Amino acid sequence: DTVKALERRAAALEHIALYARSPAKLEAVLSEILESAMELVGADAGTVYLANPATGQFDFAAARWASLSAAESADREKSLKAAPVKLNEGIVGQVFQNREPVTVPDVTKSAVFRKDVADVAHYEIRNLLAVPLQLDETPLGVLELFNKTPKGVFASSDLELAVSLAHLTALVIDLHRQRAAAKALPTPATKPVEPETPKTNPAAAAELQEARRAVRDAQAQLAETRKLLDAALQVQEQNTRRVKD
């Protein structure tokens, strides 16, 4: 189980890091990342909200429901987009303001949980975890995962993994926004149109390298765990032979 868990974690982190170069729109990329996060952490649903300081509200970016069809998911996404959430409202607002991840094992006991937003989507939320999406000291939004699967509530290990995924997701968001800004720059009429090369934020580049090192560390830990398991199996086989002899 330990080996499989490490394999899933290393593969997921590496998979999400690849989205930094994806040409797809940011919302589509975030939807795919959210699906990966749900599968890895173990959640039935999830959302990504991005902060919009100009409006003082969150912009709905992505939502996923593992237990719903594509058509049902699309209908509920439309409902969520029409439900405004201020930057200081609900658990999502609390996490965004405090920049601290949280787990809520029972939302009925939370004084800040926005049940009305869940009702808009016609989805019962029993428990959740929420982690901030931030780059350096800049908060970008919040990633939420709902209803631990196959059962139970989210553990501290789930929260730790979600924080790692959120960190990579923030880097992806920043790089996509940089590319969009570069493409929006006006091109002088006297010069031929050439594709703009996005300028990489040094801090973002350094953090992306750190994320890649984390993937390599997870893979190295996986290899070491396999060696220990192989050694244990060899000892067990030797002991079995001695007993037979």
Side-chain angles (χ1 to χ4, degrees), residues 95-213:
V95 170
F96 178 75
Q97 297 293 334
N98 297 338
R99 304 183 190 180
E100 292 291 338
V102 299
T103 57
V104 182
D106 184 353
V107 298
T108 63
K109 297 180 180 179
S110 171
V112 295
F113 174 64
R114 286 282 305 271
K115 184 177 182 299
D116 59 316
V117 176
D119 290 344
V120 165
H122 304 289
Y123 182 74
E124 181 185 2
I125 298 175
R126 299 182 299 277
N127 51 75
L128 64 83
L129 68 75
V131 292
L133 299 169
Q134 67 179 54
L135 189 68
D136 295 330
E137 297 300 317
T138 304
L140 304 178
V142 178
L143 165 70
E144 290 184 298
L145 297 177
F146 308 123
N147 296 342
K148 175 67 179 176
T149 57
K151 60 181 180 180
V153 297
F154 294 103
S156 58
S157 58
D158 295 323
L159 189 63
E160 180 182 353
L161 179 53
V163 168
S164 297
L165 297 173
H167 181 68
L168 275 178
T169 303
L171 293 174
V172 172
I173 292 170
D174 183 64
L175 291 172
H176 271 258
R177 286 177 170 176
Q178 287 185 50
R179 281 202 297 271
K183 290 180 181 178
L185 292 175
T187 303
T190 56
K191 294 182 180 181
V193 177
E194 297 179 356
E196 295 286 347
T197 301
K199 296 180 180 179
T200 303
N201 184 328
E207 292 193 11
L208 184 56
Q209 289 297 324
E210 182 62 29
R212 287 171 176 167
R213 279 195 290 272

Side-chain angles (χ1 to χ4, degrees), residues 12 60 64 78 84 91 96 100 136 147 169 205 227 242:
F60 174 85
R64 286 274 186 166
K78 291 179 181 178
I91 293 175
F96 178 75
E100 292 291 338
D136 295 330
N147 296 342
T169 303
K227 289 181 181 178
R242 289 173 183 170

Side-chain angles (χ1 to χ4, degrees), residues 25-38 45-51 58-65 73-74 76-81 92 117 121 133 141-146 169 173:
K25 291 184 177 180
L26 180 58
E27 288 75 11
V29 169
L30 291 176
S31 182
E32 294 296 325
I33 290 177
L34 179 58
E35 182 177 28
S36 296
M38 288 166 52
T47 59
V48 175
Y49 282 96
L50 298 180
F58 287 103
D59 289 338
F60 174 85
R64 286 274 186 166
W65 289 269
S73 295
R76 297 191 183 190
E77 281 190 43
K78 291 179 181 178
S79 299
L80 285 176
K81 287 181 179 179
V92 64
V117 176
L133 299 169
V142 178
L143 165 70
E144 290 184 298
L145 297 177
F146 308 123
T169 303
I173 292 170

